[in-house]
Amino acid sequence: MNDIWLNFAIEIGLFSLLGVLYYFYQKRKIIHFEENKTPLIMNYILEICLSEKSDVPEPELDHLIIELDNFVSKKATRPPFELLKVFSESPHCSARLKEVISNGLRELGIE
């Protein structure tokens, strides 16, 4: 009878240890994601801007693409939040791009 209780206590201890280790693993993943959230969102907005770009030169969109690329490639330290806001309110911005920019800024807590 004592062997059953001893095995049960060992299993509870083992599962508790594994649970604590899994908790810290998930916490580390969440913290890592939060640290990299801004570059991920800026990269997604850059991809959408590049897909919206046509062969005709569009100075506003081209400037936004350059600024986003500078941030994503770590040439600039600050993301171009103000430029994104101004561009999303301009008539040159398509409805799809406006929605992506506003959702991205909302996710980052900027708006």
Side-chain angles (χ1 to χ4, degrees):
M1 189 70 162
N2 285 336
D3 288 338
I4 293 173
W5 288 110
L6 180 63
N7 287 339
F8 184 70
I10 290 173
E11 287 178 9
I12 293 294
L14 180 64
F15 286 131
S16 297
L17 176 66
L18 290 175
V20 168
L21 290 175
Y22 185 71
Y23 167 77
F24 285 118
Y25 170 73
Q26 288 297 330
K27 184 177 176 183
R28 186 177 57 111
K29 278 181 55 176
I30 290 170
I31 290 172
H32 181 68
F33 174 76
E34 289 295 323
E35 289 172 350
N36 293 327
K37 186 192 286 189
T38 302
L40 287 172
I41 291 174
M42 292 296 134
N43 191 32
Y44 180 69
I45 293 173
L46 175 62
E47 289 176 8
I48 299 298
C49 288
L50 290 172
S51 70
E52 293 281 323
K53 184 166 174 31
S54 63
D55 293 336
V56 179
E58 301 173 52
E60 295 85 7
L61 182 59
D62 293 341
H63 181 63
L64 179 64
I65 289 171
I66 290 170
E67 291 297 320
L68 284 169
D69 185 52
N70 285 341
F71 176 72
V72 170
S73 63
K74 298 182 180 175
K75 293 178 185 172
T77 57
R78 298 189 61 199
F81 293 135
E82 291 300 320
L83 187 59
L84 285 168
K85 286 180 187 178
V86 169
F87 182 74
S88 68
E89 295 169 357
S90 75
H92 304 289
C93 185
S94 68
R96 176 180 174 225
L97 189 54
K98 186 178 291 192
E99 181 182 352
V100 168
I101 291 172
S102 65
N103 287 340
L105 292 176
R106 190 175 315 114
E107 181 70 29
L108 293 171
I110 302 300
E111 282 188 330

